[in-house]
Amino acid sequence: MKILLCIGCLTTGCSIPETKVYVCDSKNAIRYHYKATCRGLSNCRHAIISLSLKEARNRGKTLCKWED
Ligand SMILES: [Zn+2]
């Protein structure tokens, strides 16, 4: 039996919208950014990819120092 329905979903929504962040798709990139236009990304020589905040943290990224 695996019937786990969240009744609250109907009113409040179970999933909080994921915050999207941007990271430079480089092994050396350690930061995530809220804005794709952030100056911290301007010197990225790789693709800029969009991740959920959770995913970015799972990858060991920390918030860009240009943002707060
Ligand atoms: Zn940034």
Side-chain angles (χ1 to χ4, degrees), residues 31-35 38-41 63-67:
R31 303 293 186 181
Y32 63 82
H33 311 262
Y34 288 124
K35 287 169 287 192
C38 176
R39 61 196 290 188
L41 279 169
L63 179 61
C64 166
K65 64 185 176 182
W66 299 111
E67 300 175 52

Side-chain angles (χ1 to χ4, degrees), residues 3-60:
I3 302 173
L4 296 172
L5 290 177
C6 174
I7 296 169
C9 285
L10 299 174
T11 51
T12 60
C14 271
S15 56
I16 298 163
E18 293 268 16
T19 302
K20 282 292 178 184
V21 298
Y22 300 90
V23 300
C24 182
D25 190 20
S26 160
K27 285 175 185 164
N28 298 322
I30 58 168
R31 303 293 186 181
Y32 63 82
H33 311 262
Y34 288 124
K35 287 169 287 192
T37 54
C38 176
R39 61 196 290 188
L41 279 169
S42 63
N43 55 10
C44 174
R45 297 185 187 285
H46 301 261
I48 294 170
I49 56 174
S50 174
L51 299 174
S52 68
L53 179 57
K54 187 177 164 189
E55 175 65 17
R57 287 193 173 154
N58 284 345
R59 295 187 185 196

